[in-house]
Amino acid sequence: MDTLKRLINLLREELKHYGEMLARLDHQQDLVIHRASDDLLASVSSVQAQAAAIQQARALREQTQLKLADEMGSPEPTFANLIPRLPADYRPLVSALVDENNELLIRVQQRARQNHLLLTRSVESMQRLINTLLPAPPTVVYNGGGHRSTSALPARAALLEVVG
């Protein structure tokens, strides 16, 4: 029974972390849409830190889930196998927590994909702007040692001569 209560608490904790991730991704999306580039880097770090917290919470939950399956003699540690073996009064709670975690995980994945697309478009837009400002894109070449080097940008005077 202690393992079951621990599993329930860990499911709640995991749910909390998914909610926090969704909030951070929403904030990041707002920053991209409003072109708040100064805060965007901090947002990326915040999202990465929350992803690490989710991984840790998930690992703890999975360990406890394995332990509960072992204690209950379940052939597989999946919730589909565990829930029917739980005491009747715990089944609805565990089932609801699992469903909420799955739904929130799907929303987090969707938002992360949206943000990735927005960030990719933003970078592509900046690349187009840079390409219109510079006479030619930098060329990547390899030196005799096999190391990559980029051609230097034209000197400021050369740029001014092109413009004016």
Side-chain angles (χ1 to χ4, degrees), residues 102-119:
N102 286 333
E103 289 170 16
L104 208 49
L105 175 59
I106 289 168
R107 288 178 59 198
V108 164
Q109 289 171 338
Q110 289 170 340
R111 192 63 39 81
R113 277 193 223 84
Q114 288 173 349
N115 287 11
H116 182 265
L117 185 61
L118 283 171
L119 288 166

Side-chain angles (χ1 to χ4, degrees), residues 116-130:
H116 182 265
L117 185 61
L118 283 171
L119 288 166
T120 300
R121 287 183 180 166
S122 180
V123 168
E124 289 170 354
S125 176
M126 286 305 298
Q127 187 63 49
R128 283 192 302 273
L129 173 65
I130 290 169

Side-chain angles (χ1 to χ4, degrees), residues 1-2 7 10 13-14 16 22 27 29 34 39 44 74-75 80 84 104 111 114 132 135 142 153 161-162:
M1 199 58 103
D2 287 340
L7 179 63
L10 290 171
E13 186 70 18
E14 192 173 356
K16 182 184 89 173
L22 192 57
H27 177 68
Q29 194 171 88
H34 294 101
D39 298 328
V44 170
S74 177
L104 208 49
R111 192 63 39 81
Q114 288 173 349
T132 62
Y142 291 88
L153 292 175
E161 291 171 9
V162 171

Side-chain angles (χ1 to χ4, degrees), residues 2-3 5 15 17 20 43 61-62 66 73 81-82 88-89 99 104-105 124 126 128 135 149 151 158 163:
D2 287 340
T3 306
K5 288 180 181 179
L15 186 63
H17 285 295
E20 180 64 28
S43 169
R61 190 257 308 149
E62 288 173 348
L66 283 169
N81 285 327
L82 284 176
D89 51 337
D99 290 345
L104 208 49
L105 175 59
E124 289 170 354
M126 286 305 298
R128 283 192 302 273
S149 63
S151 64
V163 173

Side-chain angles (χ1 to χ4, degrees), residues 137-157:
T139 306
V140 176
V141 293
Y142 291 88
N143 62 20
H147 296 91
R148 287 181 0 163
S149 63
T150 342
S151 64
L153 292 175
R156 184 176 287 274

